[in-house]
Amino acid sequence: MSESALGIVWIYPDLLSTYGDRGNMLVLAHRAERRGIAVEPMLVRSDEPLPATADIYLVGGGEDGPQALAAQRLTADGNLLRAVNQGAAVLAVCAGYQLLGTSFHAKGAQCPGLDLLDVTSDRTGTRVVGELSGDVDPRLGLPPLTGFENHGGRTRLGPGVAPLALVTAGFGNDGHTEGAWRGKILGSYAHGPVLARNPAIADLLLRWATGADSLAPLDDTWSDKLRAERLAAAGAA
Ligand code: GLN
């Protein structure tokens, strides 16, 4: 891995890549490069070791079987935990979010998660599918969240995390809160990909990873239009 470039890892494209979540990596790399920040994007398959010294780790959604396998392999690998302890930023979506928690439900059983977020996911009620939006924790300084959700899991937050957002449309964790965060770890139910719909979250990750207080503004005319259209469709604008 290059010393000077920002290392961005897409975790297990062979298991966790539903709904084009891998687009999160493209958006991050693009927004970094347009500011002259060199990036080294890496796709790490589930039969390969994760690098322990990258700057940003991205985890996507998946079906129950691949999700359970990904959790086992990430636990056995150990490098995501090492990277977080060294200050890496993480964005995890849906199955990826659930498996960062204490435990999650898959294939009729509770499976141990990575314990990086104080959340527990189980399976009650029906699958929720549709537009998701919410007002993001003001401490993160972000505009409203917009995304698409499709999950059977319900997530309870413990005292070690804060909700990423309060739901204005859709379901999120429990119909009231959506996602969770602590330190530089963000978990969300929002697909979209979420960084294409919410470029301000991409910029937050880039600021965390580079230590920059601010980044040069980019022309976001297109994504602003997409956001306005999707938030209106969700009845949240
Ligand atoms: N398998 C998980 C659930 O249904 C996550 C689904 C997803 O990642 N879209 O809750």
Side-chain angles (χ1 to χ4, degrees), residues 53-161:
T53 55
D55 301 286
I56 303 175
Y57 291 79
L58 303 170
V59 203
E63 291 169 4
D64 288 7
Q67 176 179 359
L69 183 58
Q72 282 168 13
R73 294 202 172 171
L74 282 171
T75 302
D77 178 276
N79 276 344
L80 185 57
L81 178 61
R82 280 184 203 102
V84 165
N85 289 339
Q86 287 161 22
V90 182
L91 171 69
V93 173
C94 204
Y97 163 44
Q98 292 177 6
L99 68 78
L100 290 197
T102 309
S103 74
F104 62 91
H105 182 104
K107 301 198 295 185
Q110 274 308 108
C111 306
L114 275 76
D115 242 341
L116 287 172
L117 285 175
D118 183 12
V119 304
T120 307
S121 302
D122 54 24
R123 192 69 52 98
T124 51
T126 52
R127 174 164 286 272
V128 285
V129 183
E131 289 294 317
L132 170 65
S133 59
D135 291 327
V136 179
D137 187 329
R139 288 172 293 174
L140 293 171
L142 298 171
L145 175 82
T146 161
F148 174 81
E149 63 182 332
N150 180 354
H151 53 99
R154 303 286 183 270
T155 300
R156 268 178 293 116
L157 274 47
V161 291

Side-chain angles (χ1 to χ4, degrees), residues 8-13 15-18 20-25 28 42 44 50 56-62 66-67 70-71 74 80-81 84 89-101 114 116-117 185-191 193-195 205:
I8 307 175
V9 176
W10 180 257
I11 293 177
Y12 299 170
L15 298 178
L16 300 171
S17 280
T18 55
D21 286 334
R22 213 177 76 174
N24 289 331
M25 176 134 160
L28 263 183
M42 287 165 270
V44 180
L50 277 190
I56 303 175
Y57 291 79
L58 303 170
V59 203
Q67 176 179 359
L74 282 171
L80 185 57
L81 178 61
V84 165
V90 182
L91 171 69
V93 173
C94 204
Y97 163 44
Q98 292 177 6
L99 68 78
L100 290 197
L114 275 76
L116 287 172
L117 285 175
I185 307 177
L186 302 176
S188 173
Y189 271 111
H191 300 280
V194 66
L195 296 186
L205 292 166

